[in-house]
Amino acid sequence: AARPTAPVLSPSDLGGAKALPGAEGDSADAAKNRGTRLHMLLEHLAPLDAARRPATARALLGPDPEAEALLAEVLGVLDTPVLARFFAASTLAEVAVTADLPGLGRVHGVIDRLIVEDATVLAVDFKSNRTVPDTPDKVPEGLLRQMGAYATALAQVYPGRQIETGILWTATAHYMPLPHALVTQALDRAPTS
C-alpha cells in the first residue's frame, strides 16, 4: 500500500493575521481579488513603455469598476524611481519555490520578485493591503511567517548567500525591508505539523 502523502502548504497557510485593522471594509475575498488584479498588472505592465501601460491595463482588466483606481496604484509603484530596481530586466518574476521546512513539512509558494546576486538573494513580495504598517515589527504575523518561509526555502536553494526579504506595499509605493530575525522568529511561531 502506498503511503499517504503529506499536504503541501502554501506560505500563506502558516497562520497569523494577514492585514491590519482598518482595511476600509474590504471582505477577505474582495481584498484577495483586488490583490490578484494588482499583481497581474504589475507583472504585465512593468516591462512596457510608460505610454503603453494605461491602454494595456484597461485591456487586461476589461469592464472593471475599479480599473482606474487599480491602474493609478500600479502606476504609482512603477513610476517611483527608488522601486525601479524591483522591475529591472535582471529580476525574476513569479518564482515558484518548494522546500521542506523543519516541523512544517513541504511548503510551496510563489515569490513576486527575486533578485539573485553573487552574495545575496532578495525576495520581494507585493502586498496590496490598504492599511500599511509604519515599521516592520507592525507587519501582520501571517505576512512575516510567509516571508520567513521564503527566506528558509531560499537558504536551501542558495546556500552560502545572504537571504533578504522585503515587502513592497502597493498602496503607498513603499518598499519595507524585513529583518531576517523578525521573519524567521515569526516562522518559528507557526503551528507545526
Side-chain angles (χ1 to χ4, degrees), residues 13-35:
D13 294 336
L14 299 174
K18 308 288 189 307
L20 294 171
E24 294 185 20
D26 281 351
S27 70
D29 286 344
K32 186 172 185 177
N33 181 277
R34 185 174 170 281

Side-chain angles (χ1 to χ4, degrees), residues 97-118:
V97 61
T98 304
D100 290 314
L101 303 185
L104 297 172
R106 181 153 290 219
V107 175
H108 173 79
V110 178
I111 300 169
D112 294 326
R113 288 286 162 156
L114 195 64
I115 301 173
V116 179
E117 297 176 337
D118 291 340

Side-chain angles (χ1 to χ4, degrees), residues 44-173:
H44 287 89
L45 300 185
L48 300 179
D49 293 331
R52 293 182 49 209
R53 289 174 176 163
T56 302
R58 292 181 186 106
L60 288 168
L61 291 170
D64 184 328
E66 285 192 291
E68 294 307 310
L70 293 169
L71 175 59
E73 189 163 326
V74 167
L75 293 181
V77 170
L78 295 176
D79 293 342
T80 299
V82 73
L83 301 178
R85 69 184 183 119
F86 302 124
F87 301 98
S90 60
T91 64
L92 303 173
E94 300 294 316
V95 179
V97 61
T98 304
D100 290 314
L101 303 185
L104 297 172
R106 181 153 290 219
V107 175
H108 173 79
V110 178
I111 300 169
D112 294 326
R113 288 286 162 156
L114 195 64
I115 301 173
V116 179
E117 297 176 337
D118 291 340
T120 62
V121 175
L122 172 60
V124 178
D125 209 48
F126 304 151
K127 293 298 180 195
S128 57
N129 302 43
R130 292 185 199 239
T131 304
V132 176
D134 296 327
T135 57
D137 61 308
K138 300 281 194 282
V139 171
E141 178 77 2
L143 302 184
L144 293 175
R145 290 180 186 178
Q146 177 185 355
M147 300 310 287
Y150 290 153
T152 303
L154 289 170
Q156 294 175 20
V157 177
Y158 297 100
R161 294 192 204 192
Q162 180 176 330
I163 307 299
E164 299 173 4
T165 60
I167 294 176
L168 195 162
W169 301 102
T170 62
T172 56

